[in-house]
């Protein structure tokens, strides 16, 4: 055996000699690990049936969890699990087995909390899980890391996580192994722990088999058979099985398995090298040693059977199997250890735990792990095939997610929906570009490092950029645009005047791409720039690029398209030609599946505008409800149009100079559509709205005319002092105006009644629509949460931490909810928070709400441990302006009563 200090800390060890000893070390390690495993349960049982309801591919902990929860819901005898190798990976399985509940979002936290609850229940029933509640200790080397921990501590109230901020001395008491002279404090999470993924897998499968689930090893999937876009069977090495649902829990192999169907299912995953180091037993090592995470050093370690197991997430990972030759077995995932690459983590481990220098090494394991391009899990139904589900991409923490994800998938299959809001993890958040192997190879170099890096607000990926760009992108870049990426699309966050000046003085007439960043939790560097853009939007003329918005054309020969949209939409879409209707598309629970604007181009032709992140999601939602006779056509035209928004009180004057069309309010009223000529270009779909409540127009321009129209607008706009504006200014406008956006404020569990949009729900439109019954029940019973706007008082934006979303809200000192979207309000001159509040009883149950209850309390918002008093609004405020306009004042995001959109009221 080697000693750390001799083996590598001085880097004198020959890497090849280390590699040559690795096999024997690894064999010893796996022999000891196998001895520790539970051999109580049988593995493969039964024979492959001819038919079933659900076929699950993958006998790891995720597949086991889905099978277990299907069995709990009564579908055990109709469920089959197949595994190409050995269940749970066999004795060669490897994982750090950390179970931490803190995750980036509430939905992910809930899934992890359900996992912990499940493992505790299994233990109480006599099943082995290896669950040990040893706690987690996260140490901070920097002030910004401490701010992260303080924000987490504040969020813990909303998320139901017990934790506390501790000083360095207390951290040393909790874990005497660590060095503390360079840390500023730590976050202690006492209910975190560790478990054994192999034991949990076998225990879940044993419990599932007791309820009738058939489990088969050495059964390889050959093909998922589809008919008319729906799963009907699977072909395996043991035969064929007719099935109604299929679940891809293939883990490392999920992407490859996705290709075994027609059409193939795009599952964007790519492996990277991932390292686990284990010592030999250390004398007097406390078995309750907490899991220690030193994110600033990119490392973690835990106690395992008297040894130390350690690893980390290096800032730049090494992609594995770049030649696309995916191994067929778990053993094939194990790679030679690259000590030079691991050295950066080893140095940090020796720094944080100096005593490791005297420990002897058992093994360094390099195993390929797969990661998604956005650092989130993949859960839900595949866009390409109905009843094809995926639960994969767990990024080394599958054991933390398995219990909740398995339950969520099982509930969705059986009931049609889950108790968890899984929209942010759904596969429909991706486009085909995200599955490109070269894109994935480059992206996964930086994804693992994001696990432990400080996630500042509006954090951007650095790889995979400049993929989708509007035709006016070069002009925007010349104008000083600083870009963010959404769905692969580059769109301006703000415009940097100095960058524009650089272009003017550049001989090459080109400028380097500049990426948006906000490396602070306080007042950002771009504050003054965005304030000037905001001012132009409200009081002058500004130009914004809306090209990334989702754009769909929906049409039919007869009234079929009207009937379809009336069924899908909660608002009345049978409006006069030329009208724009804003509507939700609800699910059976009344929640938002989509929030969009519909433009009636002709009697049987609509154009739909939806959020950028909805491009795949809303298209699939509509496709799955299209008439079977193909009478309605659906076309994604997102890439066919460049969308330019002109915003501000003088936009009518500017646009009138460029078109012969009468733009007067009587001829072209607010919330209507016309087809215009602009400059020399024709066929431009012009909408009299801005999506933020300000005056202005959105021009949907055929791409071939985009540069001409842009240049013409810039030239004509000079005398109006036209200014470019980006998404950050747009966000400030909509937050002040109290506009909710899908994916930020609205989700699949939020109803129109809860967010002040009941006036957009037409129960009496003469046709049933999805979610109508649920909304009627909620209307009768009363809502139990309400969307509010909070204006922070006694908050100094120059010196104090900002609200960036997710902060707890208190009413009369009692927790009532959390913020969703926040921004600085440049008219209010203070921070503005949007969010939901409830009336919770002593047991945490939500009671029906009234406006009087909401408006009568004294509110506070807690930011990183400090509470700030706040004024609450439940309806859109009327903001003062130099140029008041009846149209702008008439259209607010929320209100108590309104029969319909302005056009229809006037008619």
């Amino acid at each position: 055996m080697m000693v750390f200090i001799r083996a590598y800390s001085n880097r004198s060890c020959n890497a090849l000699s280390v590699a040559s000893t690795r096999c024997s070390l690894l064999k010893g390690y796996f022999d000891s690990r196998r001895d520790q495993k539970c051999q109580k349960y049988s593995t493969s049982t039964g024979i492959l049936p001819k038919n079933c309801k659900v076929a699950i591919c993958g006998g790891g902990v995720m597949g086991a969890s889905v099978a277990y929860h299907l069995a709990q819901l009564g579908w055990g005898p109709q469920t089959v699990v197949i595994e190409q190798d050995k269940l749970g990976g066999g004795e060669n399985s490897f994982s750090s087995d950390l179970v931490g509940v803190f995750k980036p979002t509430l939905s992910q936290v809930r899934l992890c909390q359900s996992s912990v609850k499940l493992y505790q229940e299994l233990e109480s029933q006599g099943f082995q899980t290896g669950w040990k509640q040893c706690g987690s200790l996260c140490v901070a080397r920097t002030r910004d890391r401490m701010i992260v921990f303080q924000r987490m501590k504040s969020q813990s109230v909303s998320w139901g996580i017990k934790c506390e901020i501790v000083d360095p001395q207390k951290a040393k008491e909790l874990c005497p192994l660590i060095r503390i002279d360079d840390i500023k404090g730590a976050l202690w999470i006492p209910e975190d722990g560790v478990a054994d993924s192999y034991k949990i897998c076998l225990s879940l499968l044993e419990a599932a088999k007791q309820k009738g689930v058939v489990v088969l090893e050495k059964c390889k999937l050959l093909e998922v058979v589809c008919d008319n876009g729906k799963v009907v069977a699977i072909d395996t090495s043991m035969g064929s099985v007719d099935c109604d649902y299929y679940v891809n829990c293939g883990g490392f192999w999920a992407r490859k398995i996705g290709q075994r169907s027609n059409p193939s299912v795009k599952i964007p995953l790519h492996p990277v090298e991932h390292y686990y180091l284990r010592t030999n037993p250390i004398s007097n090592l406390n078995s309750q040693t907490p899991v220690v995470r030193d994110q600033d050093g990119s490392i973690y370690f835990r106690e395992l059977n008297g040894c130390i197991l350690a690893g980390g997430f290096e800032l730049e990972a090494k992609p594995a199997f770049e030649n696309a030759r995916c191994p067929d077995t778990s053993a094939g995932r194990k790679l030679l250890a690259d000590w030079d690459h691991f050295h950066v983590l080893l140095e940090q481990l020796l720094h944080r735990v100096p005593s490791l220098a005297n420990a002897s090494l058992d093994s360094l394991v390099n195993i390929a792990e797969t990661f998604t391009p956005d650092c989130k899990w993949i859960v839900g139904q595949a866009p390409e095939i109905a009843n094809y589900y995926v639960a994969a991409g767990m990024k080394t923490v599958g054991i933390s997610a398995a219990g909740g994800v398995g339950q969520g998938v099982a509930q969705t299959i059986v009931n049609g929906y889950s108790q968890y809001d899984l929209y942010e993890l759904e596969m429909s958040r991706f486009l085909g570009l995200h599955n490109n192997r070269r894109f994935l190879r480059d992206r996964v170099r930086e994804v693992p490092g994001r696990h432990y890096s400080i996630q500042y607000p509006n954090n951007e990926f650095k790889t995979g950029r400049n993929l989708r760009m509007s035709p006016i992108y070069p002009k925007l870049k010349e104008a000083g645009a600083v870009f963010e990426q959404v769905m692969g699309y580059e769109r301006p966050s703000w415009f940097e005047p100095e960058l524009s000046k650089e272009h003017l003085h550049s001989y090459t007439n080109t400028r380097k791409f500049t990426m948006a960043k906000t490396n602070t939790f306080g007042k950002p560097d771009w504050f003054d720039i965005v304030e000037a853009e905001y001012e132009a939007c409200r009081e002058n003329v500004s130009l914004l690029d809306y090209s990334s918005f989702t754009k769909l054309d929906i049409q039919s020969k007869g009234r079929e398209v009207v009937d379809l949209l009336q069924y899908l939409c909660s608002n009345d879409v049978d409006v006069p030609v030329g009208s724009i209707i804003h509507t939700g598309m609800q699910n059976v629970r009344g929640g938002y599946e989509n929030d969009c604007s519909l433009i009636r181009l002709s009697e049987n032709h609509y154009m739909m505008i939806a959020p950028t992140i909805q491009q795949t999601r809303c298209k699939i939602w509509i496709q799955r409800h299209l008439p079977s006779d193909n009478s309605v056509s659906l076309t994604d035209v997102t890439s066919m149009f460049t969308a330019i928004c002109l915003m501000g009180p003088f936009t009518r004057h500017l646009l009138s100079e460029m078109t012969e069309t009468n733009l007067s309010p009587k001829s072209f009223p607010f919330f209507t559509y016309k087809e215009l000529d602009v400059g020399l270009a024709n066929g431009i779909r012009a909408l009299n709205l801005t999506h933020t409540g300000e005056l202005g127009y959105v021009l949907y321009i055929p791409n071939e005319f985009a540069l001409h129209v842009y240049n013409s607008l810039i030239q004509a706009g000079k005398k109006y002092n036209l200014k470019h504006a980006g998404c950050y200014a747009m966000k400030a406008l909509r937050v002040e105006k109290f506009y909710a956006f899908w994916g930020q404020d609205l989700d699949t569990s939020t109803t129109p009644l809860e967010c002040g949009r009941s006036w957009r729900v037409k129960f009496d439109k003469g046709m049933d629509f999805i979610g109508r019954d649920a909304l009627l029940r909620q209307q009768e019973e009363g809502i139990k949460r309400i969307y509010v706007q909070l204006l922070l008082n006694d908050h100094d934006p120059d010196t104090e931490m900002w609200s960036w979303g997710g902060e707890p809200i208190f009413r009369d000192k009692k927790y009532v909810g959390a913020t969703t979207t926040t921004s600085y309000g440049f008219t209010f001159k203070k921070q503005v928070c949007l969010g939901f509040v409830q009336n919770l009883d002593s047991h945490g149950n939500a009671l029906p709400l009234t406006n009087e209850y909401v408006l009568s309390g004294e509110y506070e918002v807690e930011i990183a441990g400090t509470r700030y008093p706040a004024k609450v609004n439940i309806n859109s405020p009327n903001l003062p302006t130099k140029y008041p306009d009846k149209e702008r004042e008439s259209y607010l995001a929320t209100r108590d009563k309104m029969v319909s959109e302005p056009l229809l009221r006037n008619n």
Side-chain angles (χ1 to χ4, degrees):
M1 290 301 173
M2 295 172 289
V3 177
F4 270 160
I5 194 69
R6 296 175 183 170
Y8 202 71
S9 62
N10 60 7
R11 308 199 70 175
S12 62
C13 177
N14 184 289
L16 288 176
S17 100
V18 172
S20 68
T21 62
R22 175 179 172 275
C23 293
S24 62
L25 290 174
L26 219 54
K27 181 180 185 302
Y29 170 76
F30 287 127
D31 287 343
S32 65
R33 183 169 170 83
R34 183 180 61 244
D35 292 339
Q36 299 156 14
K37 293 299 180 183
C38 171
Q39 300 296 319
K40 176 180 177 181
Y41 309 129
S42 61
T43 52
S44 184
T45 62
I47 59 173
L48 190 71
K50 295 296 184 182
N51 55 71
C52 64
K53 281 185 176 290
V54 186
I56 300 170
C57 180
V61 69
M62 193 60 63
S65 179
V66 175
Y68 171 85
H69 285 100
L70 284 169
Q72 294 297 108
L73 292 171
W75 282 30
Q78 292 295 322
T79 299
V80 174
V81 178
I82 63 169
E83 164 57 44
Q84 66 176 355
D85 196 6
K86 295 182 179 180
L87 297 174
E91 65 270 19
N92 288 335
S93 64
F94 197 91
S95 171
S96 61
D97 287 342
L98 309 184
V99 184
V101 294
F102 256 121
K103 293 294 179 283
T105 64
L106 176 59
S107 294
Q108 295 175 53
V109 167
R110 292 287 180 257
L111 293 170
C112 293
Q113 288 172 327
S114 294
S115 297
V116 172
K117 182 179 178 182
L118 172 63
Y119 305 152
Q120 292 172 336
E121 289 175 351
L122 288 171
E123 281 284 336
S124 68
Q125 295 166 11
F127 292 99
Q128 296 190 39
T129 66
W131 166 251
K132 178 174 66 173
Q133 185 177 312
C134 57
S136 289
L137 183 67
C138 304
V139 301
R141 302 188 190 188
T142 66
R143 176 178 178 271
D144 278 5
R145 183 69 68 180
M146 280 302 297
I147 292 172
V148 170
F149 291 167
Q150 288 159 356
R151 290 177 57 82
M152 291 169 68
K153 176 67 173 69
S154 292
Q155 286 179 321
S156 70
V157 178
S158 307
W159 294 356
I161 300 174
K162 292 182 179 179
C163 65
E164 63 176 307
I165 302 290
V166 299
D167 60 24
Q169 289 69 35
K170 179 63 174 178
K172 184 74 170 179
E173 292 176 18
L174 291 166
C175 184
L177 293 173
I178 64 172
R179 172 182 175 179
I180 64 169
D181 60 338
D182 63 337
I183 70 172
K184 297 186 179 301
L187 181 70
W188 169 238
I189 313 166
E191 294 183 350
D192 275 0
V194 296
D196 188 313
S197 54
Y198 186 71
K199 289 181 180 179
I200 289 173
C201 178
L202 295 188
S203 293
L204 288 170
L205 288 174
E206 180 66 19
K209 287 186 289 185
Q210 291 175 8
K211 289 183 177 289
V213 174
V214 174
V215 181
L216 296 166
E217 286 183 325
K218 302 295 182 180
C219 181
K220 187 174 183 179
L221 177 81
L222 302 178
E223 181 184 3
V224 179
V225 183
C226 305
D227 183 35
N228 199 26
K230 186 177 181 179
V231 170
V232 295
I234 61 169
D235 286 339
T236 79
S237 57
M238 291 185 177
S240 297
V241 183
D242 293 338
C243 59
D244 299 324
Y245 300 89
Y246 169 78
V247 190
N248 181 345
C249 296
F252 178 85
W253 296 272
R255 186 176 189 270
K256 184 177 180 180
I257 291 169
Q259 298 168 355
R260 295 175 183 169
S261 61
N262 188 16
S264 63
V265 173
K266 301 178 182 65
I267 305 173
L269 292 168
H270 196 289
V272 300
E273 295 185 10
H274 193 65
Y275 289 83
Y276 303 90
L277 179 148
R278 187 187 175 191
T279 71
N280 282 313
I282 297 173
S283 61
N284 300 319
L285 182 62
N286 190 336
S287 63
Q288 284 299 116
T289 297
V291 174
V292 175
R293 295 179 177 88
D294 180 356
Q295 287 104 323
D296 295 313
S298 303
I299 58 168
Y300 68 83
F301 69 87
R302 59 160 292 196
E303 184 275 342
L304 174 63
N305 299 315
C307 308
I308 289 291
L309 175 69
F313 297 92
E314 59 270 49
L315 292 179
E316 184 173 349
K318 288 179 62 178
F321 303 110
E322 296 182 66
N323 58 7
R325 293 180 181 176
C326 185
D328 292 327
T329 64
S330 297
R333 292 172 55 192
K334 299 188 173 57
L335 307 168
L336 286 176
D338 183 345
W339 280 94
D340 286 328
H341 183 71
F342 183 71
H343 179 69
V344 63
L345 299 180
L346 179 59
E347 283 185 325
Q348 296 301 320
L349 284 167
L350 292 170
H351 171 80
R352 185 57 53 213
V353 190
S355 61
L356 281 180
N358 299 316
S360 63
L361 174 69
D362 178 272
S363 58
L364 176 66
V365 178
N366 177 11
I367 187 166
E369 295 276 11
T370 54
F371 289 79
T372 62
D374 64 355
C375 207
K376 296 180 181 178
W377 309 326
I378 298 177
V379 181
Q381 190 169 187
E384 298 88 349
I385 303 173
N387 292 355
Y388 186 123
Y389 287 81
V390 178
M394 298 301 147
K395 314 170 307 182
T396 79
V397 293
I399 191 171
S400 290
V405 169
Q407 184 180 31
V409 171
Q411 288 176 345
T412 303
I413 290 172
V414 175
N415 303 324
Y417 58 87
S418 164
Q419 71 185 75
Y420 308 102
D421 199 336
L422 300 174
Y423 79 89
E424 64 168 311
L425 304 176
E426 290 178 354
M427 294 179 62
S428 56
R429 71 184 189 269
F430 297 118
L431 295 169
L433 66 90
H434 294 113
N435 196 47
N436 178 282
R437 179 168 285 277
R438 293 181 66 183
F439 167 84
L440 286 170
R441 179 199 63 197
D442 293 341
R443 175 58 62 85
V444 297
R445 293 181 191 276
E446 69 171 311
V447 168
R450 289 173 73 94
H451 279 71
Y452 282 177
S453 63
I454 293 177
Q455 297 301 300
Y456 290 106
N458 311 314
N459 218 350
E460 290 288 314
F461 283 103
K462 297 178 177 62
T463 53
R465 302 302 296 258
N466 290 318
L467 291 174
R468 302 179 74 195
M469 295 166 283
S470 72
I472 63 173
Y473 168 85
K475 292 292 185 180
L476 299 174
K477 191 166 69 166
E478 290 174 8
V482 176
F483 292 96
E484 62 185 56
Q485 188 186 69
V486 183
M487 291 293 275
Y489 219 108
E490 300 291 350
R491 64 186 191 188
S493 298
W494 72 85
F495 288 79
E496 188 81 48
E498 292 301 317
L499 294 176
S500 180
K501 291 177 184 178
E502 286 179 16
H503 165 71
L504 292 175
H505 295 92
S506 172
Y507 292 105
T508 61
N509 212 35
T510 60
R511 185 179 67 76
K512 185 179 179 181
F513 169 79
T514 306
M515 191 184 310
K517 60 181 179 180
T518 306
N519 290 340
T520 179
F521 294 103
K523 185 178 181 180
D525 293 340
W526 44 256
F527 180 89
D528 293 336
I529 296 172
V530 172
E531 181 178 26
E533 294 177 7
Y534 168 96
E535 182 73 13
C537 293
R538 292 220 71 218
E539 308 295 358
N540 193 41
V541 177
S542 62
L543 184 149
L544 301 90
D545 181 16
Y546 279 13
S547 301
S548 68
F549 281 15
T550 297
K551 303 175 270 295
L552 303 178
D553 266 12
I554 315 170
Q555 55 189 316
S556 61
K557 290 184 178 179
R559 279 186 55 86
E560 295 90 349
V561 67
V562 182
D563 293 338
L564 169 68
L565 291 174
Q566 288 286 59
Y567 175 66
L568 291 177
C569 299
S570 51
N571 206 340
D572 186 356
V573 304
D574 194 3
V575 293
V577 173
S579 296
I580 303 170
I581 199 76
H582 194 96
T583 181
M585 292 184 176
Q586 321 306 141
N587 53 41
V588 294
R589 294 165 293 159
Y592 279 93
E593 291 295 330
N594 192 23
D595 183 49
C596 61
S597 295
L598 284 166
I599 303 99
R600 194 165 193 180
L601 303 177
S602 66
E603 285 293 331
N604 303 317
H605 185 186
Y606 292 80
M607 181 184 191
M608 189 185 82
I609 309 299
T612 302
I613 61 174
Q614 284 279 70
Q615 185 172 352
T616 301
R617 197 176 190 282
C618 68
K619 181 182 177 182
I620 296 303
W621 179 258
I622 296 171
Q623 278 182 341
R624 287 181 175 155
H625 292 91
L626 289 175
S628 58
D629 60 3
N630 297 318
S631 57
V632 178
S633 68
L634 174 67
T635 307
D636 187 344
V637 296
T638 299
S639 299
M640 293 172 59
F641 291 91
T642 299
I644 293 177
C645 176
L646 289 175
M647 191 182 299
F650 296 108
T651 51
R652 182 179 288 128
H653 301 285
L654 169 60
L655 194 57
S656 293
E657 296 181 10
M658 305 185 63
T659 183
E660 296 180 359
T661 303
N662 184 355
L663 302 182
S664 67
K666 185 174 181 180
S667 175
F668 191 6
F670 200 42
F671 241 70
T672 63
Y673 145 88
K674 282 185 181 294
E675 188 170 297
L676 304 180
D677 290 355
V678 176
L680 305 181
N682 69 307
I684 295 167
R685 299 176 180 181
L687 281 56
N688 189 348
L689 55 70
T690 61
H691 301 295
T692 60
E694 298 297 329
L695 294 175
Y697 304 88
V698 183
L699 308 178
Y700 286 92
I701 310 161
N703 280 340
E704 64 268 29
F705 294 132
L707 273 174
H708 168 75
V709 172
Y710 172 85
N711 289 332
S712 301
L713 289 170
I714 294 298
Q715 186 63 33
K718 286 182 179 178
K719 71 177 182 181
Y720 295 98
N721 194 28
L722 180 148
K723 190 177 186 67
H724 288 86
C727 292
Y728 287 9
M730 178 186 175
K731 181 180 179 182
L733 289 163
R734 72 99 169 170
V735 169
E736 269 198 323
K737 284 294 190 71
F738 202 8
Y739 272 65
F741 273 24
W742 199 93
Q744 299 175 52
D745 311 291
L746 309 178
D747 54 34
T748 58
S749 64
T750 306
T751 74
L753 279 62
E754 295 169 346
C755 59
R757 294 183 173 187
S758 57
W759 52 278
R760 285 181 176 159
V761 178
K762 303 301 185 292
F763 294 109
D764 57 353
K765 63 180 179 178
M767 183 173 182
D768 195 12
F769 60 87
I770 299 175
R772 183 175 185 272
D773 292 343
L775 293 177
L776 284 172
R777 282 195 303 272
Q778 188 179 57
Q779 187 179 63
E780 181 178 347
E781 296 170 359
I783 60 172
K784 295 183 179 179
R785 66 173 185 159
I786 189 170
Y787 190 50
V788 299
Q789 182 188 65
L790 294 157
L791 313 181
L792 298 194
N793 296 319
D794 301 336
H795 175 268
D796 186 343
D798 292 321
T799 61
E800 297 181 284
M801 293 298 105
W802 280 28
S803 166
W804 293 101
E807 294 82 11
I809 302 169
F810 296 86
R811 177 188 179 275
D812 295 341
K813 309 298 181 183
K814 177 184 174 184
Y815 169 77
V816 292
T819 64
T820 51
T821 310
T822 67
S823 179
Y824 187 81
F826 294 102
T827 297
F828 286 127
K829 301 297 182 187
K830 57 183 65 179
Q831 279 244 277
V832 184
C833 303
L834 307 181
F836 289 89
V837 300
Q838 298 176 294
N839 179 12
L840 302 173
D841 64 17
S842 58
H843 300 289
N845 300 313
L847 304 174
L849 280 172
T850 63
N851 288 353
E852 292 72 24
Y853 170 85
V854 175
L855 295 173
S856 64
E858 294 185 2
Y859 286 83
E860 295 172 299
V861 175
E862 182 174 311
I863 304 173
T866 302
R867 294 189 188 182
Y868 298 92
K871 179 185 181 299
V872 67
N873 291 326
I874 58 174
N875 287 305
S876 295
N878 282 307
L879 301 178
T881 175
K882 299 174 187 176
Y883 308 101
D885 186 282
K886 290 183 179 179
E887 283 190 307
R888 177 157 61 178
E889 292 173 357
S890 70
Y891 195 77
L892 304 176
T894 63
R895 50 175 56 79
D896 290 328
K897 295 180 180 179
M898 184 172 183
V899 293
S900 193
E901 309 291 359
L903 171 67
L904 304 183
R905 293 207 317 278
N906 295 335
N907 288 352

